[in-house]
Structure formats: C-alpha cells, structure tokens
C-alpha cells in the first residue's frame, strides 16, 4: 500500500519535502492555512509593474546553496552589493563616504575575528555575552593601543548594532517568483492540497494502521502514515500544545529559540536624490550607495523617542533594467512591533502619511534632499500581524541561550518513533538557520529520512 504523508505548510520546506516524497512514490497531502503557496515568500505589485518581495530577498551564499542553483536554472538575477555606505550620525549629519566605508570595513574585520573566536572558544564564552560585548572589548583594546580614535570607535560600535551591517550575500533584484514556481511544480501537479485549512491537533496513534491522526480547522480528522510539520517557529510556539504527545525536549527547544521581528518599508522617490547627479546610470556605478545606516538619532523626539537605529538598501545600486529610485528600509525588534501596530488597519493616505511622518526624519538627512523629492509611494510589510507567519519573521538566538545547537538538533530530530517530524528554517544546519536555503535543505533532508526509514533492511 502506498504510504501517505501529510505535510503541514506550503512554504519552501514543505514544498521541497513534498517533492522528494512524491518522487519516491509517496502519496502526499499538504495542509495550508493560506490560499497560496510560499509562506513567508510572497510578492506585491504595489510598487509598480516589477513585483517586489514582501518576505525573503536574500540568497545567503556560504558554501553550496541550492537556491543559487535554482536562480541560475530559472534565470533569476542575483546582485552582490558593493561596499559603498552612507552613514548618518546621531545629530543627523551625513559622514564622508570614505569615513563610513572605513568604519564598515572595521566592522567586518572585527566580525570575522568574533566568528573565529567563537569557533575555537565556544565552551568558554559566557552565555550572557553578546556579539556587541566582543565589539566593545575589541574597541577598548584598540583605544588603549591608539589604533582607533574615540570617534572611530563610536562609529564602529554604532554600526555593529545594525541588523544588516554584516550582509555579504546576494540579493534578488527582481523577486523569488520563478524560483518558487520551480520549487512548487511537482507538488502542485501531484499532491493533494487543502487550502485555507489549519492543523488543530496531531496525535500519535498506538492502535496499528495509520500512525498519526490529524484534525483540521474544519473539524475533519484524517489519518496518515506520518506528518511533517513545517510551520514557522513563531506559529509552533503558539500552538505546540496541538501536538500530542510532544516530547519535552522538543517543547523546551521550541521555547528556547527566539523568533525575530523583521519588517520592510519600501519608499519610491521621483529621483535618486542621494546620488550625485553625475554618478552615472545603467550598470551600477562603483560609487553608487548600496547601504545607508542611521545611528541612534537625537532628532526624532516626536516620532521615535526610543531612538531606534535604521538602515536601508538602495535599489538604485542595481544594474539596468532593475535599477529603481527605491530605498528599502529594514526595521527589527521593538521598532518593527511599533510600526506594524501603528499602521495596522490604516489604508490609503492615512497609512502613507504615518509612514512619511516616521521615515522622513531619516531620508531627509541624505545629501541632495529637497521638498521636491517627496515620496511617490510606500509599501510596508506586517509580518508581526500575520498569524500564519507566527507574528514574526524567522528564528534567531538571543543573548542568554545556553544550548542553542542542541535545541535546533532536538527539533530537527523530531519524533520518528511516532512518525512526527519537523522541517523549516529553524531546523536547518547551523549556517542555514533563518534562510531560504536552510528551509529548502531541511525539507529535503526530512523527506529522505522518511524514505530511508521505509526501505527494507538486508
């Protein structure tokens, strides 16, 4: 009899898991809470005819990356950012690009030392210590030796707190749509989909026959030979009681791993005013700004009294035909929660006005800005308000975690004796956590485990 597996979630990991199972003659049912595939990967045409990604934009390229191969196969362009940075200090004044780029280079140097130190001294590192602690110690030594000035140390420490200060990966200047279509092709053709349906309980059975009972939001109970749960970690945190029984070590791991809050706000302008008029156009000039970092602002007392730092990437740094006069802002943590709570329910001009009021103190500090540069349109994500995304973005490790690697391994191992498995970016190999490639790989690996477990042994 053909084994029948249920995959909960039609994101990257669920689709890849389903593909491998289908290619090995399994029957697959996919339960998806939305009316579409993709999960946290989706697009919007609100910024014009070239749809932009609301979720993942990046292709993290450490070592072999299956997403890079899929990009090549589908003709999806990949852009590698040039290290050309603008930096706005706490008073709102732009620094010379040379000074900003020097600070960024220093950040990279310290980060590489921190990674190397962590690899060789992980057992001795205090769980209360953070990456920022390493930066502080490094800068203190540099100040004592005279290799850094006080101003240089201030800039390095300020930039070290940015979410994306260390990004060296590829960015998709179009969107993930073609890649997702390829990932989804086999499941869409051959799997059974139950759309707009959520899992309300999973129960391991002991009476023979099918191994796992699964109840959905429509009250229907179904039986499968196994279930693979690929929902986001945030959703799993909120609904882990639905899995009966859930191994205590897995329950502890789900609680321990943090779930981030990353949001995006895209703002389109009539011109790329932040670039010199003679900067050139068409193929991505070496001097074109890739990143802008705003250090903790003293000038946003009305709109941002918490002085959250911001950063953005410039779509004007793309080569043609992808170049656009768009700044993509990233917010994270409490800033993301505040912005998404503030715009939730707002529509049209009211929504745009709130976004303009909040972000204008930042973009208006860029060189070349005048009132003639008023934004044409805005687009803001609300993953923090998305129940199916688990009200967040992706997994991360907060300061204070003591057993992070084993936490990930516990969820990844799942409960094979009960035929209940987990996949998703939160179960990926360590260097793939929080990435599309990690989600893809996790789905493939858990499917292969299921297939290999069914094969007769000699």
């Amino acid at each position: 009899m053909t084994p029948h597996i249920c995959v909960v979630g039609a994101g990257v990991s669920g689709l890849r898991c389903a593909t491998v199972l289908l290619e090995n003659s399994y029957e697959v049912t996919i339960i998806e809470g939305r009316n579409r595939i993709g999960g946290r990967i989706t697009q919007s045409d609100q910024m014009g005819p070239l749809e932009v990604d609301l979720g993942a934009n990046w292709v993290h390229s450490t070592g072999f990356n299956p997403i890079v191969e899929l990009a090549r196969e589908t003709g999806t362009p990949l852009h590698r950012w040039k290290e050309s940075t603008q930096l706005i200090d706490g008073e709102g004044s732009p620094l010379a690009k040379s000074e900003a780029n020097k600070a960024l280079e220093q950040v990279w140097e310290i980060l590489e030392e921190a990674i190397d130190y962590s690899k060789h001294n992980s057992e001795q590192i205090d769980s209360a210590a953070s990456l920022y602690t390493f930066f502080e110690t490094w800068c203190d030594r540099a100040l004592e030796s005279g290799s850094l000035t006080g101003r240089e140390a201030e800039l390095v420490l300020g930039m070290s707190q940015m979410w994306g200060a260390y990004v060296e990966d590829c960015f998709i200047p179009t969107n993930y749509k073609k890649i997702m279509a390829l990932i989804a092709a086999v499941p869409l053709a051959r799997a059974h989909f139950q759309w707009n349906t959520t899992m309300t309980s999973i129960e391991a059975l002991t009476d023979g026959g099918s191994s796992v009972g699964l109840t959905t939001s429509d009250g229907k109970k179904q039986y499968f030979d196994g279930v693979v749960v690929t929902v986001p970690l945030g959703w799993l945190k909120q609904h882990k009681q639905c899995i009966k029984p859930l191994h205590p070590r897995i329950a502890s791991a789900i609680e321990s791993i943090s779930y981030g809050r990353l949001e995006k706000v895209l703002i389109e302008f009539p011109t790329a005013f932040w670039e010199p008029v003679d900067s050139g156009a068409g193929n991505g000039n070496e001097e074109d700004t890739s990143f802008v970092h705003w250090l903790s602002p003293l000038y946003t007392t009305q709109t941002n009294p918490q002085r959250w730092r911001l950063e953005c990437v410039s779509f004007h740094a793309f080569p043609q035909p992808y170049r656009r006069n768009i700044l993509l802002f990233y917010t994270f943590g409490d800033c993301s929660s505040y912005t998404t709570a503030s715009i939730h329910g707002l529509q049209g001009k009211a929504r745009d006005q709130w976004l303009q009021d909040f972000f204008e103190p930042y973009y208006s500090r860029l060189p070349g800005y005048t009132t003639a540069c008023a934004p044409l349109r805005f687009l803001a994500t609300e993953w923090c308000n998305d129940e199916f995304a688990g009200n967040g973005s992706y997994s991360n490790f907060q300061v204070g975690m003591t057993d992070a690697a084993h936490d990930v391994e516990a969820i990844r191992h799942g409960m094979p004796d009960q035929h209940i498995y987990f996949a998703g970016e939160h179960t990926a190999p360590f260097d793939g956590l929080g990435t599309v490639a990690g989600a893809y790989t996790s789905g493939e690996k858990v499917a292969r485990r299921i297939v290999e477990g069914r094969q007769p042994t000699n």
Side-chain angles (χ1 to χ4, degrees):
M1 187 174 179
T2 302
H4 190 180
I5 303 295
C6 178
V7 175
V8 183
V12 169
S13 59
L15 293 170
R16 182 55 185 162
C17 176
T19 297
V20 174
L21 292 172
L22 289 162
E23 289 175 342
N24 283 274
S25 301
Y26 279 65
E27 184 178 0
V28 176
T29 292
I30 300 177
I31 293 174
E32 170 55 48
R34 307 179 192 272
N35 61 358
R36 61 167 179 82
I37 63 164
R40 286 164 284 174
I41 296 180
T42 187
Q43 292 78 36
S44 169
D45 61 2
Q46 191 174 320
M47 299 301 283
L50 181 60
E51 293 180 297
V52 294
D53 281 315
L54 297 180
N57 281 117
W58 299 87
V59 177
H60 301 275
S61 53
T62 53
F64 172 76
N65 187 325
I67 306 302
V68 172
E69 300 306 312
L70 293 173
R72 290 172 180 156
E73 188 174 346
T74 58
T76 300
L78 298 178
H79 174 76
R80 189 170 290 278
W81 297 102
K82 301 177 178 69
E83 291 187 12
S84 180
T85 300
Q86 290 201 39
L87 183 61
I88 313 299
D89 68 17
E91 301 287 344
S93 300
L95 277 66
K97 268 195 174 183
S98 58
E99 188 176 11
N101 289 332
K102 181 179 179 181
L104 183 60
E105 289 173 7
Q106 194 71 74
V107 167
W108 269 110
E109 179 183 330
I110 301 170
L111 178 66
E112 289 171 357
E113 288 190 28
I115 292 172
D116 186 66
Y117 180 83
S118 179
K119 285 179 179 178
H120 294 94
N121 301 275
S122 58
E123 297 298 326
Q124 289 76 43
I125 297 175
D126 190 328
S127 63
S130 66
L131 179 59
Y132 187 71
T133 305
F134 188 93
F135 271 85
E136 285 184 310
T137 302
W138 195 100
C139 286
D140 286 344
R141 291 199 302 265
L143 285 169
E144 291 175 6
S145 67
S147 59
L148 273 188
T149 66
R151 170 66 167 173
E152 290 170 338
E154 177 188 357
L155 295 179
V156 167
L157 288 174
M159 292 188 74
S160 73
Q161 298 178 69
M162 299 297 183
W163 169 82
Y166 323 123
V167 173
E168 65 171 349
D169 303 314
C170 295
F171 191 97
I172 297 179
T174 53
N175 54 57
Y176 258 96
K177 183 173 277 190
K178 291 181 179 179
I179 293 174
M180 284 305 305
L182 184 57
I183 293 173
V186 171
L188 286 175
R190 296 167 53 186
H192 312 292
F193 279 85
Q194 297 179 19
W195 303 106
N196 301 307
T197 303
T198 58
M199 172 269 290
T200 57
S201 74
I202 297 175
E203 186 175 359
L205 305 178
T206 58
D207 57 355
S210 295
S211 302
V212 185
L214 184 145
T215 305
T216 51
S217 50
D218 56 5
K220 183 179 178 182
K221 189 160 188 178
Q222 304 168 70
Y223 299 92
F224 301 96
D225 296 298
V227 173
V228 183
V229 181
T230 74
V231 298
L233 176 66
W235 197 94
L236 202 54
K237 283 176 173 288
Q238 298 170 26
H239 300 88
K240 63 181 184 296
Q241 73 280 359
C242 295
I243 303 173
K244 307 167 186 177
L246 180 62
H247 193 286
R249 182 65 185 90
I250 297 176
S252 172
I254 290 170
E255 281 302 305
S256 295
I257 303 173
S258 301
Y259 196 56
R261 294 165 289 166
L262 178 69
E263 300 287 350
K264 300 157 76 169
V265 176
L266 294 93
I267 307 177
E268 184 173 15
F269 299 89
T271 62
F273 63 86
W274 55 92
E275 298 292 0
V277 176
D278 60 351
S279 66
N283 293 311
N285 189 292
E286 287 291 334
E287 296 303 314
D288 284 346
T289 299
S290 292
F291 306 98
V292 184
H293 302 281
W294 287 264
L295 300 185
S296 187
L298 297 169
Y299 48 85
T300 59
T301 54
Q302 297 299 313
T303 56
N304 178 11
Q306 295 85 355
R307 298 180 59 200
W308 290 308
R309 300 164 178 82
L310 284 187
E311 61 186 273
C312 75
V313 297
S314 169
F315 283 17
H316 193 262
F318 294 151
Q320 294 289 20
Y322 314 114
R323 174 176 285 210
R324 300 175 69 184
N325 302 325
I326 290 176
L327 295 178
L328 165 55
F329 284 82
Y330 289 100
T331 66
F332 47 96
D334 290 341
C335 184
S336 289
S337 295
Y338 172 73
T339 57
T340 53
S342 298
I343 64 176
H344 187 58
L346 295 180
Q347 301 291 331
K349 291 182 179 179
R351 185 181 179 93
D352 287 352
Q353 188 61 59
W354 191 94
L355 292 168
Q356 180 169 329
D357 291 343
F358 186 85
F359 287 95
E360 185 175 30
Y362 297 94
Y363 62 70
S364 64
R365 259 66 183 184
L366 291 172
Y369 181 80
T370 68
T371 54
C373 304
L376 300 175
R377 48 190 163 186
F378 298 83
L379 174 61
T381 63
E382 291 189 52
W383 295 110
C384 286
N385 297 326
D386 188 325
E387 62 171 319
F388 297 126
N391 303 106
S393 51
Y394 52 79
S395 60
N396 61 33
F397 298 141
Q398 294 292 325
V399 174
M401 290 190 68
T402 57
D403 205 13
H406 291 132
D407 286 334
V408 173
E409 289 171 0
I411 304 175
R412 182 190 304 149
H413 180 70
M415 300 186 294
D417 290 343
Q418 289 76 39
H419 306 284
I420 298 173
Y421 305 86
F422 299 90
E425 50 84 11
H426 52 286
T427 72
F430 204 76
D431 61 355
L433 291 168
T435 72
V436 178
Y440 183 94
T441 302
S442 74
E444 178 172 315
K445 286 190 173 182
V446 76
R448 297 204 184 284
R449 283 174 57 201
I450 293 171
V451 171
E452 289 167 5
R454 285 275 177 175
Q455 291 175 349
T457 56
N458 294 324

